[in-house]
């Protein structure tokens, strides 16, 4: 959590639990700014998606900013 992602508010296991409970579905990819365990988990377990018109402001035009973490059936 926090601006730099370094506040230990939620660890990777807690994040994974929230995803499995349906509390988190979409994630904005800002993991290239840090070495984040949660970011690594998202990139390994979620699907990169395109949301037209919703590119992150810091990287306009990047179409893979978002991840969909809905578990597959």
């Amino acid at each position: 959590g926090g601006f730099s992602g370094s506040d230990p508010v939620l660890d990777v296991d807690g994040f994974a639990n929230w995803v499995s409970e349906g509390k988190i579905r979409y994630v904005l990819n800002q993991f290239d700014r840090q070495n984040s365990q949660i970011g690594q988990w998202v990139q390994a377990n979620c699907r990169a998606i395109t949301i037209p018109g919703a590119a992150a402001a810091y990287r306009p035009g990047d179409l893979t900013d978002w991840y969909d973490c809905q578990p597959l059936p």
Side-chain angles (χ1 to χ4, degrees), residues 15-67:
F15 183 87
N17 285 336
W18 281 9
V19 169
S20 69
E21 294 170 2
K23 293 180 179 178
I24 296 174
R25 177 166 178 182
Y26 296 104
V27 179
L28 175 62
N29 175 12
Q30 295 182 327
F31 307 120
D32 59 345
R33 295 172 35 188
Q34 60 200 351
N35 185 12
S36 163
Q37 289 182 338
I38 291 175
Q40 291 170 1
W41 187 93
V42 167
Q43 291 171 336
N45 294 282
C46 303
R47 295 176 307 284
I49 60 172
T50 299
I51 301 175
Y58 67 96
R59 285 192 312 208
D62 187 342
L63 299 177
T64 58
D65 286 328
W66 293 90
Y67 283 82

